[in-house]
Amino acid sequence: MAQVARVAVESPLPHLDRLFDFSIPEELDGDAVPGCRVRVRFHGRLIGGWLIERGPTHFEGRLQPLQRVSGPAVLTAATARLCRIVADRFAGNFTDVARFAVPPRVAAVEKREFQVVTNVPPRPDMGAWAQYDQARPFLAARSGAASWICHPHDEPFAMLAAVAADTAAQGRASVLVVPDARDVRALHEACASLMDPDQVAVVSGEASNRVRYRTHLEVLAGARPVVIGTRSAVFAPVPDLGLIAVWDDGDDVLAEPQSPGWHAREVAALRAWQEDARVLVGGFARTAATAQWVAERRAVDIRLERQTARDRRFRVEALTEPDADRRRIPGRAFRLLQKAVESGVALVQVPQVGGATALVCARCGDVARCPRCGGGVRPDQAGRARCRSCHQEFTTCGSCGNEQFLLLGAGSRLTAEQLLQGFADVPVLRSDADAGVLDQVEIERGLVVATPGSEPHLAQGYGCLVILDTEVLLARSALRAQEEAARRWMAAIAMTRPDAVTLLVAAQDVAVVQSLVRNDLAGMAETERAERAQAHMPPAYRCVRLRGDTAAVGQWLAGFEGTVLGPLETVGGSEALLLAPLEQSAALLRQVREIQIQRSRDGKPVVDVRVDPVDLGDT
């Protein structure tokens, strides 16, 4: 029996997310191999697709032939399986995931031959890992998962590079995923110091399609056993994967904004399980998602040994109850900054560039919440307080009935202007999206005002850190508000000297503030995880968010059997949440998939479906 090509056609329609049989013309028989791109005629149109496999057909009629084979096989069988698993996990289509796994084709690059670098790097010094409990058994294992809390005054990229070099010395490949291009550059420098730079590939959105496609072919050929890059690097087709690491998994940019909205951390875990490799997820703070892994004993808990943590305690302070100074920059903060700039540089972190993001009651201090939908409240262009979700006007505090409110946050520009008035004898630099992000500063004395993620590198480390407007991050109604606040604050603490003092301008009895004061990031993550479990929220529960036209969401929910929160009317239509315990998540996702397929087949309006979205509850 003649073989046929089974093709995944490129279509956003869920009911077409399956393999279709096409005949293979004799002239294309040699080129039509699994993993290559093809062009096919489908419903009268010429569209692209992926040849997934060849085999006999069970279709009795006449098959459409392949129209063209576009290049060599660039989608490995392992990557194709991973794309299918990821699509099912996030209720999406195979081809929507595959477009991130393989960059666009550039035919001119395919003519090059890639030389495999055969020299094996020497085993690196792994001493930095010795002080971390559970690290050595995990690093010596062939497979497994680990959640790593890195001390803020260790060098995480140097430690990751050492693990990658050690893995390469054992003949296996590594994939290291970081949030942004600045991290990619720093990690590449660390890897290049331990091994031949020609063995390290960089996968980044900053590169052109030509460079990305050439790098993909080099990795596919086994010429680059270490791959570092941003979120799409998680799919890099390295042979014999030994390690896949994700740094700072709480950063939102590791979640793909386009459908189906996969997260690099989850893809890394699925891939490590599929390819019998180790997955290491780390950060200066731990997310509730990896705390769930630890709680379920699916991952080992890597953090400083107890006595080492005591010996290396980093100093974080906060405002206590007797403090009567209610100014935005209290006198205590000014005194700390004055002392620091006598001999060095101080860092001031503010959460935003622009105006206020929320309101608090001037009498009781409660954050303003919409009485209708619970969304955050902020002033509109006319100065009236309105809900950011449903736009209802807000006039009275729900706790005490007061009608006077204070703005939260003043932005980096105003902060720099205020500090210039008090520190006229030293330079005050800004690093943010408006003034420009500084890579590094070389002044000997002064102040740096920066927004999270924009803090410039200082070779000797900052002498102190003051974190202002903490209530702006904590007042967000997002599920991950406290987790995100801890992540941003810890990233700034990591840029200070070991003897530096960090002052959080926040009440000491706030849970996340207390966790930083105690240096207890693991405890904070576990508390966050437990609280979400009680509220039936991710990561203890699988959550599917629906967004769309009010009528469409209502029709969608009419065919669903399970726990539903909502629907809630929003500016753009309606939103609803579907919830199920993790042990029932497969059944939930299967039902969601069936409803999506049936609606697609019937030509009904599209409803956006996202599984475990990172912006859950963000208003």
Side-chain angles (χ1 to χ4, degrees):
M1 181 182 295
Q3 287 196 329
V4 299
R6 296 197 174 99
V7 175
V9 297
E10 293 179 341
S11 171
L13 300 177
H15 74 284
L16 299 181
D17 183 30
R18 60 186 179 88
L19 299 184
F20 292 88
D21 290 354
F22 292 86
S23 64
I24 305 174
E26 184 177 349
E27 64 273 16
L28 298 180
D29 187 61
D31 296 328
V33 296
C36 69
R37 288 183 171 99
V38 296
R39 298 286 287 179
V40 297
R41 192 166 296 281
F42 192 78
H43 287 202
R45 297 189 303 115
L46 196 63
I47 63 174
W50 290 99
L51 199 163
I52 302 301
E53 59 186 33
R54 291 176 52 146
T57 184
H58 301 291
F59 184 70
E60 297 182 355
R62 179 176 174 273
L63 293 174
Q64 285 281 348
L66 296 179
Q67 298 295 312
R68 186 164 74 244
V69 173
S70 303
V74 289
L75 180 68
T76 67
T79 304
R81 286 195 299 273
L82 177 63
C83 291
R84 182 68 269 168
I85 293 171
V86 172
D88 292 341
R89 163 67 174 81
F90 290 93
N93 290 358
F94 171 87
T95 54
D96 284 342
V97 179
R99 62 184 166 143
F100 299 106
V102 183
R105 184 191 181 210
V106 180
V109 175
E110 296 168 350
K111 300 175 182 178
R112 291 189 50 181
E113 293 186 2
F114 306 109
Q115 182 178 1
V116 178
V117 181
T118 57
N119 59 311
V120 177
R123 298 292 289 268
D125 179 11
M126 303 292 286
W129 288 96
Q131 58 190 329
Y132 284 86
D133 192 28
Q134 306 271 353
R136 287 192 179 277
F138 170 76
L139 297 176
R142 180 177 178 84
S143 60
S147 174
W148 169 40
I149 301 178
C150 181
H151 189 278
H153 296 130
D154 277 339
E155 296 290 340
F157 292 161
M159 295 174 70
L160 287 173
V163 179
D166 187 65
T167 304
Q170 299 174 52
R172 303 188 75 188
S174 299
V175 175
L176 311 177
V177 181
V178 292
D180 55 42
R182 185 161 70 165
D183 291 334
V184 169
R185 290 191 292 270
L187 184 54
H188 182 265
E189 183 178 343
C191 289
S193 68
L194 296 178
M195 64 185 73
D196 188 340
D198 290 338
Q199 292 183 303
V200 182
V202 175
V203 177
S204 174
E206 286 189 331
S208 65
N209 285 344
R210 184 185 187 92
V211 172
R212 290 172 57 205
Y213 190 58
R214 182 178 70 235
T215 302
H216 182 85
L217 295 180
E218 290 173 343
V219 172
L220 193 62
R224 305 287 189 97
V226 176
V227 177
I228 61 178
T230 48
R231 60 176 177 262
S232 292
V234 74
F235 294 100
V238 293
D240 194 12
L241 178 68
L243 169 75
I244 184 164
V246 178
W247 172 253
D248 197 11
D249 66 303
D251 196 319
D252 288 355
V253 300
L254 289 174
E256 174 54 50
Q258 299 184 59
S259 180
W262 49 268
H263 194 291
R265 175 191 58 235
E266 304 303 317
V267 177
L270 292 170
R271 183 175 182 185
W273 169 76
Q274 176 186 321
E275 300 188 34
D276 194 29
R278 294 166 296 170
V279 57
L280 175 64
V281 179
F284 295 123
R286 175 175 288 164
T287 61
T290 54
Q292 184 73 26
W293 295 2
V294 173
E296 295 176 349
R297 298 187 178 181
R298 292 190 290 132
V300 297
D301 181 0
I302 296 181
R303 50 176 155 153
L304 286 181
E305 296 173 347
R306 189 184 297 261
Q307 186 57 48
T308 306
R310 289 197 188 102
D311 295 341
R312 300 187 61 196
R313 183 179 183 85
F314 52 94
R315 187 175 168 188
V316 179
E317 298 178 354
L319 303 181
T320 55
E321 188 63 32
D323 288 333
D325 193 343
R326 306 291 291 180
R327 290 175 296 178
R328 178 171 173 264
I329 306 179
R332 186 175 169 190
F334 267 108
R335 290 191 296 271
L336 185 63
L337 294 173
Q338 285 172 339
K339 183 177 180 181
V341 299
E342 289 176 359
S343 59
V345 183
L347 176 63
V348 178
Q349 188 195 69
V350 292
Q352 61 187 4
V353 176
T357 58
L359 299 175
V360 294
C361 176
R363 179 188 295 169
C364 68
D366 280 3
V367 176
R369 298 283 187 209
C370 175
R372 178 184 178 189
C373 70
V377 175
R378 65 180 176 187
D380 60 15
Q381 293 181 347
R384 292 185 295 270
R386 291 188 181 277
C387 174
R388 286 186 288 179
S389 180
C390 67
H391 286 199
Q392 178 171 304
E393 189 169 354
F394 182 87
T395 58
T396 306
C397 175
S399 300
C400 68
N402 182 44
E403 297 182 353
Q404 300 296 319
F405 300 93
L406 301 175
L407 301 176
L408 290 185
S412 55
R413 180 185 58 80
L414 182 58
T415 303
E417 292 173 357
Q418 291 175 336
L419 291 174
L420 272 171
Q421 296 174 7
F423 295 88
D425 57 334
V426 296
V428 177
L429 307 180
R430 278 178 62 195
S431 181
D432 55 45
D434 281 356
V437 177
L438 304 176
D439 284 334
Q440 58 183 4
V441 292
E442 298 178 355
I443 57 176
E444 295 182 357
R445 294 177 60 232
L447 290 167
V448 175
V449 179
T451 51
S454 300
E455 302 92 345
H457 176 72
L458 183 68
Q460 65 271 30
Y462 292 98
C464 84
L465 167 65
V466 173
I467 301 177
L468 300 177
D469 304 333
T470 54
E471 64 276 9
V472 171
L473 293 180
L474 298 178
R476 292 174 58 214
S477 58
L479 181 68
R480 297 174 53 249
Q482 293 197 62
E483 179 182 288
E484 179 64 12
R487 188 189 72 81
R488 294 186 181 193
W489 298 341
M490 285 300 299
I493 292 172
M495 307 190 80
T496 63
R497 297 198 307 256
D499 62 345
V501 176
T502 295
L503 175 63
L504 282 163
V505 182
Q508 199 170 40
D509 58 354
V510 177
V512 63
V513 173
Q514 191 59 223
S515 296
L516 266 67
V517 170
R518 297 197 312 265
N519 289 196
D520 186 16
L521 281 307
M524 187 207 77
E526 172 54 27
T527 300
E528 183 81 4
R529 182 206 67 81
E531 289 178 352
R532 293 194 204 173
Q534 291 180 351
H536 294 186
M537 285 289 154
Y541 276 66
R542 185 70 68 231
C543 175
V544 179
R545 185 187 66 198
L546 308 179
R547 277 181 177 172
D549 177 77
T550 299
V553 170
Q555 293 171 0
W556 201 105
L557 292 172
F560 177 75
E561 297 181 1
T563 303
V564 180
L565 296 182
L568 173 69
E569 295 300 311
T570 64
V571 176
S574 287
E575 179 175 319
L577 300 180
L578 317 179
L579 297 168
L582 287 183
E583 60 270 18
Q584 300 174 19
S585 61
L588 170 65
L589 296 177
R590 189 162 49 248
Q591 186 180 177
V592 168
R593 183 71 178 155
E594 290 171 355
I595 293 175
Q596 286 286 85
I597 289 174
Q598 188 59 51
R599 289 181 59 82
S600 173
R601 186 178 289 119
D602 295 343
K604 293 182 177 179
V606 174
V607 172
D608 180 65
V609 173
R610 291 297 171 98
V611 179
D612 296 341
V614 295
D615 59 345
L616 186 61
D618 201 351
T619 57

